[in-house]
Amino acid sequence: MLINAKAVSFLLGVCVAVITFMFLSLLNTVSGTVLFVAAAISFSSTFILSYVVLEFLVFKEIQKVYASLDKVTKKELRDYNKGKEDETINPIKKINQQIAAYITKKEKEIDDLKQIEAYRKEFIADVSHELKTPIFAAQGYVLTLLDGAMDDEKVRHRFLKKAAKSLNGLDALVQDLLTLSQIESGVISMHYEIFDLQSLVMDVFEQLERKAEKKTIQLRLEKTFDEGVYVNADYNRITQVLINLISNAVKYGNFNGWVAVALTETKKKIKVEIKDNGPGIPKEHIDRIFERFYRVDKSRSKKQGGTGLGLAIAKHIIEGHNSKITIKSEINEGTVFTFHLEAAN
Ligand SMILES: Nc1ncnc2c1ncn2[C@@H]1O[C@H](COP(=O)(O)OP(=O)(O)OP(=O)(O)O)[C@@H](O)[C@H]1O
Ligand SMILES: [Mg+2]
């Protein structure tokens, strides 16, 4: 609908003219000519008066406000106005639309910033905590040695070994953090090569055999391919992902359980699934499980030596291979991690 100063003034003029006409026609003494002249005068005077007021005092100013708002927000609000664009040229309605879109956009930006800020705070607190623990432990052993424990050869050896263990943990943590930030900032790129994923899985099983035996957990490949399963991927990084996923399944799995890896050939991809019949991960934790330092049961994972970086690294490595890692988990039934790699056969 065309709403501008002219149209509004015209409508007002017509209304006033009709009212004047009807009112005067009630009087018997007024002739037809007078009636029409009076209607014409009231129409033109109302039209001119309201046109001047609306055009110069209201619409023109609103158009100016709109024009400046439009300049500021045109690009920014394109996404937010999608679908809401009204054909109207009513400037007040347009301004309303623009302001509503602007508010929605700003609210979303503020929410995002708040969330990033919360994550940042949490991350710094986590890093400090994780760094502090091994540093304090190593510091404690060294200070005790300096305080005299050094003279006892047995104690000296034991404490130095413990201090070295803490420092090794610290080194592993810093390495993990570095890897994460390098992958995130794109410094590290993937070194693609063709290799047999099936024999890599068997190698990882071998590496983790002792840990699995301690909990009598059986490690198995669901189906074996005589000719192997060749993929085009970064050998070292995929090894890192498999070690973390399989060792997680062992670490957090139940005694006498199993961990199975299934390799499935699909069109141009190899589907990799790491399954266990462990305790599962509660639904409320699933969304956050790939975040840095996130652990379901902080105290239990801590006892098992985890820092909560393994899955964050795995996620980034898999994303670096243009794939996605997904998780399905049922309490008391088990967990399945799935991702795809480019097939090379
Ligand atoms: N297969 C699984 N079954 C049950 N819980 C799991 C499983 N895999 C991971 N989790 C939970 O997810 C958390 C995050 O795993 P992640 O591998 O990122 O860290 P971590 O194993 O604690 O430490 P890191 O891998 O750095 O040594 C674990 O602490 C554990 O609570
Ligand atoms: Mg882990």
Side-chain angles (χ1 to χ4, degrees):
M1 191 172 53
L2 194 79
I3 298 183
N4 57 20
K6 232 179 244 170
V8 174
S9 313
F10 181 82
L11 277 175
L12 265 175
V14 170
C15 287
V16 173
V18 170
I19 292 167
T20 317
F21 184 90
M22 291 205 312
F23 181 71
L24 288 179
S25 58
L26 292 177
L27 308 171
N28 297 333
T29 49
V30 182
S31 72
T33 331
V34 174
L35 277 178
F36 280 106
V37 170
I41 292 172
S42 44
F43 171 76
S44 40
S45 50
T46 313
F47 178 78
I48 292 168
L49 202 70
S50 50
Y51 180 69
V52 170
V53 171
L54 288 175
E55 179 66 23
F56 293 98
L57 299 181
V58 182
F59 279 98
K60 220 166 177 178
E61 290 309 312
I62 291 175
Q63 289 288 8
K64 267 193 224 159
V65 175
Y66 175 69
S68 10
L69 193 68
D70 207 32
K71 238 190 257 168
V72 183
T73 59
K74 205 164 205 165
K75 246 195 200 158
E76 274 191 69
L77 299 181
R78 201 178 295 140
D79 294 343
Y80 290 84
N81 278 329
K82 247 180 223 160
K84 291 183 207 157
E85 282 139 8
D86 201 332
E87 287 305 301
T88 185
I89 48 164
N90 177 349
I92 300 176
K93 221 172 172 182
K94 263 184 169 179
I95 290 176
N96 237 335
Q97 269 177 11
Q98 293 283 47
I99 291 175
Y102 197 70
I103 290 171
T104 317
K105 181 179 185 293
K106 289 293 160 197
E107 272 173 355
K108 194 177 174 301
E109 272 176 13
I110 291 169
D111 284 349
D112 288 350
L113 285 174
K114 273 187 190 161
Q115 201 175 29
I116 291 169
E117 176 64 8
Y119 280 151
R120 196 187 59 84
K121 276 187 190 156
E122 204 177 311
F123 176 66
I124 291 177
D126 285 339
V127 175
S128 332
H129 179 77
E130 297 298 336
L131 292 175
K132 205 176 64 187
T133 321
I135 292 175
F136 270 17
Q139 198 182 31
Y141 294 125
V142 173
L143 288 178
T144 324
L145 285 170
L146 287 175
D147 276 351
M150 209 160 40
D151 302 332
D152 183 335
E153 201 179 317
K154 254 191 186 164
V155 175
R156 184 171 63 204
H157 191 70
R158 199 157 52 92
F159 275 27
L160 280 174
K161 256 175 101 176
K162 284 189 171 179
K165 198 178 164 202
S166 296
L167 293 174
N168 282 342
L170 187 65
D171 181 49
L173 172 64
V174 174
Q175 286 301 336
D176 278 356
L177 276 173
L178 262 174
T179 313
L180 250 183
S181 73
Q182 282 174 335
I183 300 177
E184 252 178 353
S185 59
V187 176
I188 294 185
S189 50
M190 300 297 151
H191 297 290
Y192 285 88
E193 59 184 302
I194 294 175
F195 62 90
D196 180 11
L197 186 63
Q198 183 171 266
S199 46
L200 173 60
V201 173
M202 297 312 289
D203 289 349
V204 174
F205 279 171
E206 232 176 82
Q207 273 186 51
L208 300 171
E209 216 168 46
R210 272 193 39 219
K211 271 191 192 168
E213 269 169 13
K214 274 188 195 160
K215 290 179 86 173
T216 39
I217 287 180
Q218 185 203 354
L219 302 176
R220 61 164 192 254
L221 250 175
E222 253 183 19
K223 187 182 165 196
T224 48
F225 297 81
D226 293 340
E227 66 287 5
V229 181
Y230 284 85
V231 290
N232 185 19
D234 186 321
Y235 181 85
N236 290 331
R237 302 272 166 224
I238 295 301
T239 309
Q240 206 176 347
V241 172
L242 288 175
I243 289 182
N244 182 53
L245 293 179
I246 299 171
S247 74
N248 275 356
V250 173
K251 258 199 295 188
Y252 306 110
N254 297 326
F255 278 85
N256 308 316
W258 51 257
V259 178
V261 174
L263 304 177
T264 321
E265 289 186 52
T266 59
K267 263 181 211 162
K268 283 176 184 169
K269 304 257 171 212
I270 301 294
K271 181 159 113 179
V272 187
E273 290 168 292
I274 290 97
K275 312 172 184 184
D276 66 59
N277 67 341
I281 298 169
K283 284 217 161 40
E284 64 271 26
H285 296 289
I286 298 267
D287 286 345
R288 301 196 61 190
I289 203 80
F290 293 103
E291 280 176 25
R292 286 178 282 199
F293 296 116
Y294 198 81
R295 290 186 297 245
V296 173
D297 177 350
K298 301 237 173 200
S299 58
R300 228 182 98 213
S301 311
K302 191 83 225 166
K303 258 187 253 156
Q304 279 149 332
T307 54
L309 286 175
L311 286 179
I313 293 174
K315 176 179 176 257
H316 278 92
I317 292 175
I318 298 302
E319 282 174 2
H321 284 77
N322 301 319
S323 180
K324 252 182 117 172
I325 182 164
T326 53
I327 173 176
K328 257 196 197 147
S329 193
E330 283 295 331
I331 295 292
N332 295 330
E333 282 187 20
T335 308
V336 184
F337 285 92
T338 310
F339 61 89
H340 291 82
L341 292 175
E342 192 188 314
N345 292 51

